[in-house]
Amino acid sequence: MATAPKEAVSRDSSSIRVEIFDQVYHLRGSDPAYVLKLAQFVDEKMRAVAEQTSTVDSVRLAVLAALNIADEYHLLKGKLGSGGTESSQRARQLSRLLDEVLEDQRRAG
């Protein structure tokens, strides 16, 4: 089971202490909650990869986790990219239909 990265009790506004795969990192960001969320996500990915592989090399696990994250990113980016095109086409089609209905009403009325 993945453990959440741990936040340091004391931190200044620019440094956030997180733990990813049993390693402590001091990260900077304008939104500490978001940085912690990202660190937890990476920690969970690394632990999931560790469960599926026999390697104990943390660098290798990090690269494999990064590849998994990159794969998810590109799949979602592809879905959003094609979805936007489909949405735009559908919107144009509906707009033309609405124009036709309004033109018919104008002629009839």
Side-chain angles (χ1 to χ4, degrees):
M1 180 172 193
T3 59
K6 298 172 186 167
E7 180 181 2
V9 174
S10 64
R11 65 171 182 195
D12 62 35
S13 62
S14 63
S15 182
I16 302 133
R17 181 185 182 274
V18 297
E19 188 175 310
I20 301 172
F21 206 69
D22 302 326
Q23 295 291 313
V24 174
Y25 298 91
H26 295 275
L27 306 175
R28 294 174 192 250
S30 59
D31 185 352
Y34 183 66
V35 171
L36 290 170
K37 183 177 179 179
L38 292 176
Q40 182 175 2
F41 182 77
V42 172
D43 182 71
E44 290 170 358
K45 285 293 181 187
M46 286 187 70
R47 292 183 188 282
V49 169
E51 288 176 8
Q52 297 173 4
T53 63
S54 59
T55 187
V56 292
D57 180 7
S58 61
V59 173
R60 186 172 178 84
L61 287 172
V63 169
L64 292 172
L67 286 171
N68 278 295
I69 293 167
D71 180 49
E72 288 179 16
Y73 167 78
H74 283 283
L75 289 173
L76 288 171
K77 185 177 175 183
K79 285 181 183 178
L80 289 175
S82 66
T85 302
E86 291 173 24
S87 316
S88 297
Q89 290 172 352
R90 182 75 174 140
R92 284 190 296 274
Q93 180 184 17
L94 291 171
S95 178
R96 280 193 301 269
L97 290 172
L98 180 59
D99 288 343
E100 289 174 14
V101 169
L102 291 173
E103 182 62 25
D104 288 346
Q105 286 180 349
R106 187 185 62 78
R107 288 181 189 159

